[in-house]
């Protein structure tokens, strides 16, 4: 019993690193993704194609590779090493997920009928008023399902941070495996299942709450 408790506490400590990486990634990547969307849909062609190329590279390469690039390239190329590995992991995750979120935003915005914009113009609304008062809530409803999928994927992807020695839950469990104790490695699944279950219920409630709009 004492062994189970001590293992649980150590795994919980590791999972706290996963949760910090998850929360901070969402905090920064959700607004940054919107900025990237504005760049990829800009009428200024050089900015548009530069942003699209960047998104294509990030979405087309493995997150694991991006973790190594963020950790090592600044020090090797610019002589500006990132000394805290958690910070390197956070930067890589924010860049990666902001690009994925930007494509979800873009799909949501482009899915709004042109008539919605024209109606706002007829009423004498500015572009910003049309976006925030007419378009935004419709976009939010459309993007909740794909966003929830990406956010749940993010929970699981935080375990990749172990490849650059961030002491998250899988790394903690692996230390027990090295000592010949294998069950903590499978026990980590309970932490992810529980947290993802909570997120699934939460997003389900959000979707139901937004059912008032069916357009």
């Amino acid at each position: 019993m004492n062994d189970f408790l001590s293992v649980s506490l150590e795994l919980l400590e590791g999972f706290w690193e996963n949760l910090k990486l998850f929360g901070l990634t969402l905090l920064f990547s959700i607004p940054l993704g919107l900025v990237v969307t504005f760049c990829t849909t800009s009428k200024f062609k050089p900015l548009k194609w530069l942003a699209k190329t960047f998104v294509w590279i990030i979405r087309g390469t493995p997150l694991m590779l991006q973790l190594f690039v963020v950790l090592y390239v600044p020090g090797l190329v610019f002589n500006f090493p990132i000394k805290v590995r958690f910070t390197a992991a956070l930067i890589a995750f924010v860049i990666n997920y902001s690009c994925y979120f930007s494509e979800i935003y873009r799909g949501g915005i482009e899915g709004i009928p042109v008539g919605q914009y024209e109606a706002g113009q007829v009423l004498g609304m500015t572009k910003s008023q049309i976006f925030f008062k007419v378009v935004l809530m419709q976009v939010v409803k459309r993007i909740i399902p794909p966003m929830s999928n990406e956010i749940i994927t993010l929970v699981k992807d935080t375990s990749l941070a172990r490849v650059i020695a961030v002491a998250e839950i899988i790394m903690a469990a692996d230390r027990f495996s090295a000592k010949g104790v294998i069950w903590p490695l499978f026990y980590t699944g309970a932490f992810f299942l529980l947290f993802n279950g909570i997120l699934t219920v939460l997003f389900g409630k959000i979707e139901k709450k937004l059912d008032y709009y069916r357009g």
Side-chain angles (χ1 to χ4, degrees):
M1 183 64 182
N2 289 335
D3 287 343
F4 179 80
L5 183 59
S6 62
V7 169
S8 296
L9 289 174
E10 190 164 340
L11 293 182
L12 187 60
E13 185 178 341
F15 195 55
W16 175 240
E17 293 298 306
N18 295 78
L19 293 180
K20 284 195 298 183
L21 185 56
F22 168 78
L24 290 171
T25 298
L26 282 187
L27 179 66
F28 294 114
S29 63
I30 286 177
L32 182 58
L34 192 58
V35 174
V36 175
T37 300
F38 291 147
C39 292
T40 57
T41 56
S42 172
K43 293 182 179 178
F44 183 57
K45 291 293 179 66
L47 176 62
K48 178 179 180 178
W49 289 112
L50 180 63
K52 283 197 167 191
T53 301
F54 179 74
V55 170
W56 173 68
I57 292 171
I58 296 299
R59 294 180 70 207
T61 55
L63 177 55
M64 187 181 294
L65 174 62
Q66 294 163 25
L67 285 163
F68 287 124
V69 167
V70 172
L71 179 63
Y72 295 118
V73 168
L76 293 173
V77 177
F78 306 107
N79 197 27
F80 186 73
I82 299 176
K83 297 180 180 179
V84 181
R85 290 174 182 263
F86 182 89
T87 301
L90 178 60
I91 292 170
F93 272 81
V94 168
I95 292 172
N96 183 277
Y97 272 85
S98 64
C99 289
Y100 278 95
F101 289 157
S102 73
E103 288 298 286
I104 294 173
Y105 294 151
R106 183 181 63 80
I109 292 170
E110 292 180 351
I112 302 299
V114 178
Q116 299 282 331
Y117 296 93
E118 293 174 344
Q121 291 172 347
V122 169
L123 293 172
M125 300 171 72
T126 63
K127 287 185 178 180
S128 60
Q129 287 176 326
I130 292 171
F131 180 78
F132 287 105
K133 294 184 177 180
V134 178
V135 174
L136 184 59
M137 285 310 297
Q138 298 180 53
V139 171
V140 169
K141 183 187 185 304
R142 290 170 184 265
I143 68 173
I144 286 296
M147 284 289 286
S148 65
N149 285 336
E150 285 297 326
I151 289 171
I152 288 173
T153 299
L154 170 60
V155 176
K156 295 175 287 185
D157 277 353
T158 56
S159 62
L160 286 173
R162 73 184 296 270
V163 301
I164 58 170
V166 174
E168 50 76 58
I169 189 171
I170 302 294
M171 178 176 281
D174 196 38
R175 287 198 296 268
F176 291 105
S177 299
K179 298 175 184 177
V181 183
I182 195 66
W183 66 265
L185 196 58
F186 297 99
Y187 183 35
T188 59
F191 289 85
F192 287 102
L193 283 171
L194 178 60
F195 190 64
N196 280 330
I198 293 170
L199 288 177
T200 301
V201 171
L202 177 62
F203 283 119
K205 289 183 179 296
I206 293 173
E207 285 187 51
K208 285 183 180 178
K209 195 165 186 178
L210 292 174
D211 271 350
Y212 68 86
Y213 174 74
R214 300 181 181 277

